[in-house]
Amino acid sequence: MGREICLFTNRTFTIRRKKYMERILVIILASLFGTAFYYWCDFMLKKASAQEYVRQRIYLHPNAICYWRTGLAFIGDYLYFCAPFQSTAIFIYTFAAILDGVDGLVARRCNLISKKGEFLDPLCDKLTYLPPLFGFSLLGIMSFNLVLTITYIEFFGQFFARKVLDWFGFSIAANNFGKIKAIIFFALIIYAALLNANRDFINLCDDILITGIVLSLSSIVFKFIPNRLYADILSMLNLCCGIISIVLANSGHLVWAIIAIMTGQIFDLFDGRMAEKHGGTKVGPYLDDIADFVSFGISTANIIYLYGGKHSLIIAYYFAIGVAYRLIRFVMVDKKKKDLPHGIFNGLPSPAGALIVLGSALFFNPAWLSLATVLSIGLMVSHVRFAHFGRMVLKKVPKPIFFTLGAIMIIILVYITKTKSVTLFGYFILLSVTAYMLVGRKMALNSIKAYKLSHT
């Protein structure tokens, strides 16, 4: 009897593993196919003849593509939840999710952006990801109440908030919060399909749903704020993150203190871009510098002081001075230099310098933290040039890839928070800042070289 149970258990495990691997393969193939299709569209739509071809065919209009991808998603839902064709359903759904980037691409390249499209695109996103979320909640993979909550918020934003925005003449198009949220939900559905094949895998669904709820609320709130105030609000949020980090670190919550600083870095990443795009106020530049010093200087120095060992006070003091020197030099000297191309920093930016320290602090080794701090100070006050992450590096990344990477980063952070793997978090931070330093340095050298050639 025991042997029969063992054989049955092994057979069940083998079947589940086979189904799980099959779904991973299907997701990879669908992603490759969808990505290839997107870049084929991107390549073709650079041609005037292809743009004209699209304009003359209503079934290729961006709004029509919205209908196509929503229809495909409904077919995928039926095949997954009501028929025994789950692998086919995953392939169809993954391709439908990638089509979300194609309709925007067609609209921009063929000059077919319309008020109806601005309303229809986010509505079709909701009709694509909300039904399967309900399906997986009924299967017990995620919380039904959380899915119901996000549904209420989404349709409030779609049918009430957008109506009010339209009355006041504001844009009703999806913003960055909404786009990243949509990608996170598309990824969540694929992830839930994998969980459905192997329930032993760690379940992050509810955590990701909560993140999506926060992004959805942020998307609605920011639509009601005048564009010229975006930069100042983001700077204020960065400042608040720095203050919160100090409180958390002094209360013994190192990981949450570091997450607060990293959240501030996300706000800092976009405040300059918002100022360039929408303008700002007179106090904006000063507020930005104060927020940077508090978040990346004082709050990071506070972590050095608390976890840096014997000489931590002296090392923390010099780090704060290094960040202050870096910010003052940028404002008073580097901005006036004529040999620095736009978007090139003289010395490592203070957010990256803070990341070197924060990643090292998570290993709880005072000697390693002190060494990393000295390295960070040296790079910040040096004359080694780096490209601006937001204005140079991200601009080279296509928007769909940028939003996808943003979603992936959020999911990784959710996983690290769920598993409470402090060491993994440290590796993640150090790997991220190292990648930026390599890419930023390379882009800076290329930009400086091109700048010199154009001025000789």
Side-chain angles (χ1 to χ4, degrees), residues 100 176-189 191 204 207-209 211-212 215 266 270 394 397-416 428:
D100 180 37
N176 289 350
F177 290 108
K179 291 172 183 175
I180 293 176
K181 170 208 65 185
I183 293 172
I184 284 177
F185 283 148
F186 290 143
L188 174 59
I189 290 161
Y191 172 67
L204 302 173
D207 305 88
I208 295 173
L209 276 172
T211 304
L215 288 170
I266 294 172
F270 291 105
L394 286 185
V397 180
K399 280 192 173 182
I401 294 178
F402 164 70
F403 292 128
T404 302
L405 288 174
I408 290 171
M409 296 284 276
I410 290 172
I411 291 171
I412 289 173
L413 288 174
V414 169
Y415 173 80
I416 290 171
F428 171 73

Side-chain angles (χ1 to χ4, degrees), residues 264-327:
Q265 292 185 347
I266 294 172
F267 294 134
D268 179 63
L269 176 64
F270 291 105
D271 61 2
R273 295 181 69 183
M274 290 297 102
E276 288 183 352
K277 186 176 181 180
H278 302 297
T281 64
K282 293 181 179 179
V283 300
Y286 304 103
L287 185 60
D288 181 35
D289 291 335
I290 293 170
D292 287 354
F293 182 61
V294 171
S295 287
F296 315 137
I298 295 177
S299 62
T300 305
N302 181 57
I303 289 174
I304 297 169
Y305 169 66
L306 293 173
Y307 297 91
K310 186 176 180 181
H311 304 291
S312 61
L313 179 60
I314 297 173
I315 297 171
Y317 171 78
Y318 278 110
F319 180 82
I321 294 298
V323 172
Y325 173 81
R326 173 70 182 73
L327 292 169

Side-chain angles (χ1 to χ4, degrees), residues 272-273 276 330 342-343 345 388-395:
R273 295 181 69 183
E276 288 183 352
F330 174 73
H342 178 71
F345 280 139
H388 190 289
F389 183 70
R391 296 173 190 171
M392 295 284 291
V393 178
L394 286 185
K395 280 190 176 181

Side-chain angles (χ1 to χ4, degrees), residues 37 57-76 92-93 95-97 99-100 102-103 120 124 128:
F37 179 76
R57 286 158 178 81
I58 192 169
Y59 58 86
L60 295 178
H61 191 280
N63 295 350
I65 297 174
C66 284
Y67 297 133
W68 283 114
R69 64 183 175 89
T70 306
L72 284 173
F74 285 154
I75 293 171
I92 292 172
Y93 190 87
F95 182 70
L99 278 180
D100 180 37
V102 174
D103 56 8
L120 190 63
C124 288
T128 300

